[in-house]
Amino acid sequence: MADPFTTLGVAPAFSLDLTQLAQRHRDLSRTLHPDRHAAAPPGERRRALGHAIEVNAAWRTLRDPITRAEALLERLGVPRDERGGPKASPELLMAVMEQREALAEARASGDVERIDALAGAVRQREQETLARLTEAFSRAEGGELDAPRLLSLLGELRFVRRFLDEVGAALDDLS
Amino acid sequence: MAYSEKVIEHYENPRNVGTLDKDDPNVGTGLVGAPACGDVMRLQIKVGEDGVIQEAKFKTFGCGSAIASSSLATEWITGKTVDEAATIQNSQIAEELSLPPVKIHCSVLAEDAIKSAIADFKQKRAARKALEG
């Protein structure tokens, strides 16, 4: 797949203005919409459609911090690791395990308030991790690439995401 | 993606789900996670003076394959010595459960969990032996 930053015409960075990016995606999609190319020769129509699909994929990749980080790592030449990066620290694993157990209990007893409290704490952690990741990426852009740190922060973000997905499932269950 | 029958069987009837007292000197606890997907797995063993694993428990928050891998792991290690248990390879678990390539990491997690529980137990026992002189 083409580099999503290039496709959307934005400078590669972890910290992006998503409102601006959304606008850029809308503008590009409008220009590339098949209706606009209905009268064009088939080759051109196909190209426009292909480009439109690419633009949508690039937008999906960049709006999510996890896939955005993956795209940046690829640009930085950090090889993809099937295991998702370095092993998580014992502290992180302990915290995640405790939170998952607490969530399972709250879900079983239908305690929505508790679930909200757990989710709030984890969202707080997510913000902290995102801030660290932003900093590590800006260092990398400045020539100080610390791949293990980037990968372990990204791993942390995936644990958080997974937890928040479970929160969503639990709340759906109970509503 | 379709799960194999064995995975479904373990998922629906997981063996040895639970918790052992992590402060018990005869209990080793392994806590591992998969940064690729956010799964977490805890595997605990209770070891007798003869080095045989008397009891194994697990708790896994993850997909069906991760649950099945840890369930199978506890089944296999119970009754084995810690040294025998340490030789279990993720490929054996993956083969037994017919895991597809994208789920191999679940069996890797289970192998890591066994090894990490054993390491924790050995560390505890060594510390105790050192105290006893």
Side-chain angles (χ1 to χ4, degrees), chain A:
Chain A
M1 201 186 71
D3 173 64
F5 296 97
T6 312
T7 303
L8 289 179
V10 293
F14 186 64
S15 176
L16 287 179
D17 182 343
L18 283 186
T19 324
Q20 214 179 328
L21 195 67
Q23 187 59 47
R24 177 109 194 103
H25 168 241
R26 268 197 302 276
D27 292 347
L28 279 170
S29 300
R30 211 170 288 138
T31 337
L32 294 165
H33 197 278
D35 290 352
R36 287 207 164 204
H37 301 267
E44 206 175 297
R45 278 208 311 259
R46 253 200 316 276
R47 264 196 302 282
L49 183 63
H51 196 179
I53 291 169
E54 219 170 75
V55 162
N56 283 333
W59 163 238
R60 274 197 302 275
T61 302
L62 293 191
R63 72 178 171 188
D64 175 348
I66 292 179
T67 43
R68 182 162 74 238
E70 287 168 353
L72 274 174
L73 285 170
E74 199 164 322
R75 282 186 71 103
L76 291 165
V78 177
R80 238 168 222 274
D81 178 348
E82 250 180 55
R83 302 186 64 171
K87 282 191 178 158
S89 71
E91 293 74 27
L92 174 66
L93 288 174
M94 203 102 79
V96 174
M97 195 74 196
E98 274 170 19
Q99 286 156 349
R100 295 291 296 260
E101 286 185 311
L103 178 63
E105 265 172 42
R107 185 179 187 164
S109 60
D111 189 344
V112 174
E113 242 171 76
R114 176 98 181 103
I115 296 177
D116 284 339
L118 286 165
V122 170
R123 283 202 189 92
Q124 176 71 38
R125 174 151 202 162
E126 181 180 35
Q127 288 313 311
E128 288 160 16
T129 308
L130 283 172
R132 281 194 208 107
L133 205 50
T134 305
E135 206 230 317
F137 269 121
S138 69
R139 275 173 189 271
E141 283 149 26
E144 275 180 71
L145 173 65
D146 184 349
R149 175 163 168 81
L150 284 167
L151 288 170
S152 82
L153 286 169
L154 178 56
E156 204 172 309
L157 214 49
R158 291 203 194 90
F159 280 109
V160 165
R161 170 67 53 87
R162 186 62 187 277
F163 182 85
L164 293 174
D165 286 349
E166 291 300 320
V167 165
L171 291 176
D172 280 352
D173 234 26
L174 296 172
S175 66

Side-chain angles (χ1 to χ4, degrees), chain B residues 54-75:
Chain B
Q54 299 166 335
E55 207 180 351
K57 294 275 185 202
F58 83 94
K59 187 121 191 213
T60 293
F61 291 100
C63 66
S65 301
I67 290 168
S69 293
S70 34
S71 170
L72 179 69
T74 58
E75 226 178 25

Side-chain angles (χ1 to χ4, degrees), chain B:
Chain B
M1 190 193 45
Y3 283 126
S4 72
E5 260 174 54
K6 279 186 179 151
V7 169
I8 293 169
E9 213 277 306
H10 274 278
Y11 180 72
E12 286 177 348
N13 309 293
R15 332 294 197 251
N16 311 309
V17 174
T19 314
L20 297 170
D21 176 10
K22 69 173 169 34
D23 298 322
D24 181 331
N26 295 316
V27 168
T29 301
L31 186 56
V32 295
C37 59
D39 285 358
V40 276
M41 185 181 286
R42 182 180 59 217
L43 191 146
Q44 296 180 296
I45 52 173
K46 184 167 187 160
V47 187
E49 288 306 316
D50 52 3
V52 172
I53 297 172
Q54 299 166 335
E55 207 180 351
K57 294 275 185 202
F58 83 94
K59 187 121 191 213
T60 293
F61 291 100
C63 66
S65 301
I67 290 168
S69 293
S70 34
S71 170
L72 179 69
T74 58
E75 226 178 25
W76 276 0
I77 62 177
T78 306
K80 282 195 168 71
T81 67
V82 284
D83 293 328
E84 284 163 0
T87 65
I88 291 173
Q89 300 285 314
N90 85 284
S91 52
Q92 297 166 285
I93 295 170
E95 193 188 325
E96 173 70 15
L97 296 172
S98 321
L99 296 182
V102 294
K103 292 293 181 185
I104 297 297
H105 72 272
C106 299
S107 64
V108 173
L109 210 55
E111 183 193 321
D112 281 352
I114 297 174
K115 293 206 156 79
S116 138
I118 291 173
D120 181 54
F121 164 75
K122 284 193 165 170
Q123 204 182 347
K124 271 187 181 174
R125 187 149 283 190
R128 199 186 71 187
K129 289 255 158 71
L131 269 181
E132 286 167 354

